[in-house]
Structure formats: C-alpha cells, structure tokens
Amino acid sequence: VVVVLNTMVPWMPGAMPLQAGAKVIEIGPDPKFSDIPVRSFPADVSILSSVAPAIELLGGALDHVGYADSDAVASRRRLLGPELAERRARERSAGDEPGGLPMTPEFMTRVINDVVGPDATIVNELGLATGVLELTNWDSFYGPTISAGLGWGVPAALGMKLARRDKTVVACTGDGSYVFANPAACHHAAASLGLGLLTVVADNRVWNAVRRSTIAVYPEGHARASGTMPLSSLEPAPDYPRIVEAYGGHGEHVAEPEELRPALERALEITAGGRQALLSVHCSYPDAAHH
C-alpha cells in the first residue's frame, strides 16, 4: 500500500515504477490536484481531507486493530532495521573524506553539520547532500516544497531568522539557486533588518538541476557527451562574497577542504553579532566524471 499525503508528484514515473499489485491511497484537500491540466498518477482510493486529521484517524484505526504489534510489522522491522542502519552509516561515511579538489558536497555537508551544531536551523535549496545530515530537532531542517521555485531558500531563511533572531540559521544553496534568489535584495534586507544570517553557496559552477534532468531523459544524448553541457555552465564563476560585502557583510571563498571548518567558525562568530556572512565553497557535483 502506498499512501500519498497531499503530494502533487509522489514518485518519478519510469524511474520509480510501482510494484505490481500495489494499492495507492491518495489523501488531501484536493487529492487529484484538479487544477493541474495533465497529471497521470493512478490511485485506487481518493480521500478528500486535510492531512492532519486524516493522519490522526488513520493512526487511531491502526491502533484499534493492533497493527503496530502485528507479526507483519515485527517481521518488516527485523528486516529493515539493520538495512536502514547500514545505509545510514554508508551515507554518513561518504562525508568523511573531501574526495580531492574540489571537495565533494558530502564532505562539505558533513563539516557544516558538525560545526553549526544540533540547535541550528538549516534551510537547504540544492546546496547539501542531505543524507549526510544529522537532524535532531523539529526545526533542524527546511527544504523547498512542491510549490516553491528556484530562489526560495535564502528568502525563507531570512524570514526564519527574522522570526527567531537568537537562532542560528544557515541558508545552504546551490550557486544557481542563489542567483535566482535575487541576492542583492536578500542581502539588503538582511543589512537593513540587522539579521545575522549565514549563507553557504555550493559553488559547483553548473546548473545541476538542468544537467541532471537532461541526463535523466537523454542518458546517451549529445548534451551529456559534450565537454560542457549547453545552457548548464555557470562559468566564469561570479565573485559571490563581494555581493554580501557590498551590503556590509562578511564574505569568504573556500577552496581547500581544510579551510572550511575555520571559515565556518569565523562566519558563525560574525553572525552571532548580528552581521550577515557568506561562504562560497568550491565543491564538485554528483556524477562529475560524466560532465
């Protein structure tokens, strides 16, 4: 059984085929997303409901039949527990080493996770290898919703910092997403409101969302075979730190893996005093060998 909770795109057709015989139950205020002209996700049952009460009622029904204590659940737990723990350990270990120059996004993520600590809020928009993160609190992490577009991350982080000035808030964004965020307006807002926001730009010098999507559709196509995929390169890389410096903030380039931790520590010390900071971290991107 697949339960889809108010999700416009619950899986990627072709890349994630449904298992034969699977039953799909969709739940939401408009479970079929009727305002979308073409949407081809099948469902056996559609339930019109807000998500929170639906979950409460579903949980109550499962408790009533003793589902949590059933043999089927116990069997799956014995099977999946070790498997998930092994996968988690594998994801975390991917960030242990920088992987050469430029450093891997997994290594960058691991260092950010370790330095900012468990009480920080991380707002991520295509900037981090999220499987490496250790998330402990309800407000540890935010990512873009299905309704969001490119450029969502930094403005959202500004709003979170404005609401909770005593909170460490880190906006982690890809370089393409950062450009879409209208950074001049974002840094101007941070300066005018005295928000000590830390922005980390993953400077991989490519529109990776465009690149990945093209490869997914045309894995053996001309675009992939070309030395530099058309309309995806962000070379020459802008001098991102100078953008935040124009608004009185602190900016640094980070290219060497050993520079990342001290640069983050300096930036956090500056943002704790109410001044914004930006780190431009030169890192690689997934599947770099095929670029």
Side-chain angles (χ1 to χ4, degrees):
V1 175
V2 177
V3 178
V4 177
L5 294 173
N6 197 30
T7 304
M8 186 188 302
V9 183
W11 60 83
M12 297 301 293
M16 305 171 185
L18 281 176
Q19 182 173 324
K23 301 296 183 182
V24 179
I25 303 170
E26 53 186 13
I27 303 172
D30 180 8
K32 291 195 173 298
F33 291 86
S34 56
D35 56 337
I36 305 299
V38 178
R39 181 175 180 269
S40 303
F41 292 95
D44 299 279
V45 179
S46 294
I47 300 174
L48 186 67
S49 171
S50 296
V51 171
I55 292 176
E56 291 175 359
L57 290 169
L58 181 59
L62 292 173
D63 286 343
H64 178 70
V65 299
Y67 181 76
D69 299 320
S70 68
D71 291 341
V73 171
S75 175
R76 284 181 62 80
R77 185 172 287 119
R78 286 193 298 270
L79 175 68
L80 293 177
E83 181 180 317
L84 292 173
E86 180 183 350
R87 187 175 74 181
R88 180 71 181 129
R90 190 166 60 249
E91 289 175 340
R92 285 283 290 167
S93 66
D96 290 344
E97 300 295 333
L101 292 176
M103 71 188 80
T104 66
E106 289 81 8
F107 176 81
M108 180 188 69
T109 303
R110 180 68 176 270
V111 176
I112 291 173
N113 179 89
D114 294 346
V115 173
V116 303
D119 295 325
T121 292
I122 293 175
V123 181
N124 177 57
E125 185 182 359
L126 303 176
L128 298 178
T130 53
V132 180
L133 291 170
E134 288 285 352
L135 306 173
T136 55
N137 300 323
W138 66 268
D139 59 350
S140 292
F141 178 87
Y142 292 88
T145 66
I146 193 66
S147 61
L150 285 174
W152 172 92
V154 179
L158 282 171
M160 293 176 194
K161 185 64 177 178
L162 182 62
R164 304 174 71 185
R165 289 178 175 268
D166 59 337
K167 186 82 171 176
T168 298
V169 179
V170 185
C172 298
T173 175
D175 43 4
S177 300
Y178 175 72
V179 172
F180 265 103
N182 194 350
C186 290
H187 294 310
H188 183 273
S192 63
L193 296 169
L195 300 177
L197 176 69
L198 170 57
T199 301
V200 178
V201 178
D203 178 13
N204 57 26
R205 304 179 186 184
V206 66
W207 298 104
N208 210 23
V210 174
R211 179 185 160 278
R212 281 199 308 250
S213 297
T214 303
I215 291 175
V217 177
Y218 302 106
E220 306 299 330
H222 172 76
R224 183 172 191 167
S226 65
T228 300
M229 185 178 292
L231 303 178
S232 67
S233 174
L234 284 175
E235 296 280 8
D239 193 344
Y240 298 115
R242 296 188 70 175
I243 302 176
V244 73
E245 289 170 358
Y247 294 92
H250 168 80
E252 286 190 51
H253 287 284
V254 180
E256 300 291 336
E258 62 270 17
E259 296 174 346
L260 181 56
R261 182 177 294 271
L264 281 166
E265 292 171 347
R266 286 191 296 272
L268 287 172
E269 186 175 349
I270 288 167
T271 57
R275 183 181 170 211
Q276 62 181 316
L278 179 146
L279 299 181
S280 177
V281 183
H282 189 198
C283 61
S284 61
Y285 52 91
D287 198 28
H290 298 288
H291 180 45

